[in-house]
Amino acid sequence: MKRIDHTWPDQLYKTLKDAGVRQVGYVPDAGHKRLIELCLADKDMRAVVLSTEAEGMGLAAGAWLGGQRSALLMQSSGVGNCINQLGTVRECRFPLLMLVTMRGQKGEFNPWQVPMGQATPAVLEAMGVVVDEANTAEEIVPAVDAAARIAFGSYQAAAVLISQAVIGIKSFQDQAAR
Amino acid sequence: MKTVLRRRKVVEILLENRKDLLVVAGLGSTAWDITAAGDSPLNFPLWGAMGNAAMFGLGLALAQPKRRVLVLTGDGEMLMGMGSLATIGVQKPRNLSVVVIDNERYGETGMQATHTAAGVDLAKVAQGCGFKVARRIRIATQLVALRAAIHRSSGPLFAQVKVVAEKIPLVLPPRDGGLLKARFRRALLGEGADLD
């Protein structure tokens, strides 16, 4: 079995730093745990815990109005909370960099996660977001680097969907058995 | 206590001698209010994004810690984004004020009653979320003190200003989002922002 490279969150953090990201809004996901910790520990970054992902669009837009770049971390279920706010991002052409860890995808055990997970790429594309998918750990950093360039260089909303194959499948049976 | 304050006058007083105050206004009546007080490139009136005005203010206040940031919004708009008060309470930006012009109505859609008409107390919500100052304002003499606090106090500051429910003429700001963004950034950050 191929080993998954577990250092990608550290590399991703460096990618965000290199892109000049100063504010990081997040609603936690297990897949973003390490990256959130790195951002919280960074005195030159402001990691902002959000009560809903929709707040992240406002945070990112306000940051850009004030001259700062930002990124948003969320799980795919949170994408559904963003839809109307993405309309404002598009109308104003605010740069937006979204890193989305996927649920409801490969091997999902929780059926309630499946509808939003399966709809995530289509929903984002319907709102004009440039979507890229990272299906292996090796693909994540190049995809985020490219998304940051199109977001801040071309004033676009860009999302990288990080596959559940990379994050791992949350096993409720295993947790229940413990 | 009878409500006597009128929204246009309230906003005019709050924005009087605004200096370099950065202003975000929520969708609807507050966007018309700030425009009636005098359009400015340092105004960002929202034509959409209902529920997110306070978060625009937070992102801006964190990016510009040396400037004062005022979010003016309506009760309906604030109710939709009540979680953002908790998010601001965690970050505690000293330079951010959120002022709700509370007419207890959804003014743009037929003046239907909002939750505040039934007594929902947004100032208490803000207080519970960790705002340093959270006031409920009903009389004109408190507005001058509020204006001073917006410019000087160590925030985050919240005020819920009770105003008369009235239909008044719209005073519209530009509505091109790209224009509003670009003129705000140029006025705040200089012409170099055009090339960023």
Side-chain angles (χ1 to χ4, degrees):
Chain A
M1 190 179 153
K2 193 168 174 294
R3 277 174 59 88
I4 290 177
D5 177 6
H6 291 292
T7 64
W8 63 266
D10 296 71
Q11 296 170 42
L12 202 45
Y13 166 72
K14 188 173 177 302
T15 305
L16 296 183
K17 291 291 284 183
D18 290 346
V21 167
R22 299 287 305 281
Q23 296 189 34
V24 178
Y26 67 94
V27 175
D29 178 66
H32 283 313
K33 182 170 184 290
R34 171 73 181 151
L35 181 57
I36 291 168
E37 287 166 358
L38 291 166
C39 294
L40 281 168
D42 186 335
K43 289 194 166 50
D44 292 325
M45 262 188 183
R46 191 71 171 246
V48 178
V49 60
L50 309 170
S51 78
T52 164
E53 293 82 357
E55 292 174 5
M57 319 288 108
L59 184 79
W64 183 252
L65 287 177
Q68 282 191 348
R69 297 180 174 193
S70 65
L72 294 179
L73 316 182
M74 67 183 71
Q75 183 187 102
S76 51
S77 49
V79 168
N81 295 341
C82 298
I83 299 170
N84 182 49
Q85 302 298 332
L86 284 169
T88 289
V89 171
R90 185 174 183 179
E91 161 55 21
C92 299
R93 288 197 300 132
F94 281 117
L96 182 70
L97 176 59
M98 303 167 78
L99 311 188
V100 181
T101 45
M102 294 302 297
R103 290 291 307 271
Q105 221 188 13
K106 301 171 197 287
E108 177 64 57
F109 169 75
N110 180 351
W112 300 48
Q113 286 279 2
V114 175
M116 189 65 234
Q118 288 296 311
T120 293
V123 163
L124 286 169
E125 281 165 0
M127 291 309 294
V129 178
V130 178
V131 179
D132 196 4
E133 299 184 20
N135 292 309
T136 65
E138 291 73 24
E139 288 171 15
I140 297 172
V141 166
V144 172
D145 180 62
R149 286 175 200 278
I150 200 168
F152 301 117
S154 294
Y155 317 112
Q156 298 295 309
V160 175
L161 310 185
I162 301 173
S163 170
Q164 205 160 355
V166 181
I167 308 300
I169 295 147
K170 188 172 179 178
S171 171
F172 290 91
Q173 292 108 318
D174 287 355
Q175 288 181 31
R178 270 182 219 139
Chain B
M1 190 174 169
K2 192 174 172 341
T3 298
V4 293
L5 293 176
R6 301 190 59 186
R7 59 184 312 134
R8 286 281 159 81
K9 190 69 190 168
V10 167
V11 172
E12 186 191 314
I13 291 170
L14 294 181
L15 293 182
E16 198 181 301
N17 192 19
R18 61 183 275 181
K19 301 185 206 89
D20 58 1
L21 185 68
L22 309 177
V23 178
V24 175
L27 175 65
S29 303
T30 46
W32 325 147
D33 293 336
I34 65 164
T35 308
D39 189 32
S40 159
L42 293 179
N43 283 354
F44 198 80
L46 288 162
W47 283 85
M50 184 162 174
N52 233 347
M55 286 301 300
F56 272 73
L58 177 61
L60 182 55
L62 294 178
Q64 288 288 329
K66 292 187 174 144
R67 299 288 285 261
R68 307 300 296 197
V69 178
L70 170 63
V71 174
L72 275 163
T73 194
D75 43 306
E77 206 276 349
M78 191 73 252
L79 283 158
M80 192 177 281
M82 221 151 65
S84 62
L85 294 175
T87 297
I88 292 166
V90 173
Q91 299 303 323
K92 296 201 176 359
R94 296 164 56 93
N95 56 332
L96 176 63
S97 299
V98 178
V99 175
V100 174
I101 305 298
D102 179 11
N103 66 353
E104 305 183 351
R105 297 289 186 279
Y106 291 102
E108 299 300 312
T109 54
M111 298 299 266
Q112 299 90 346
T114 67
H115 305 45
T116 62
V120 171
D121 188 334
L122 290 170
K124 276 191 184 157
V125 173
Q127 189 180 34
C129 287
F131 275 69
K132 286 252 178 70
V133 182
R135 297 185 190 134
R136 209 172 201 207
I137 287 174
R138 287 182 171 281
I139 55 174
T141 52
Q142 295 171 313
L143 291 172
V144 176
L146 176 59
R147 182 178 65 211
I150 287 164
H151 285 279
R152 279 201 296 276
S153 77
S154 177
L157 176 153
F158 182 92
Q160 179 181 12
V161 183
K162 287 285 185 184
V163 299
V164 174
E166 56 183 339
K167 275 309 266 186
I168 46 181
L170 309 186
V171 182
L172 303 181
R175 63 183 187 282
D176 179 336
L179 168 73
L180 290 165
K181 174 193 71 172
R183 72 171 194 168
F184 189 100
R185 280 170 50 88
R186 183 183 275 200
L188 173 61
L189 305 166
E191 287 187 8
D194 294 357
L195 299 173
D196 195 3

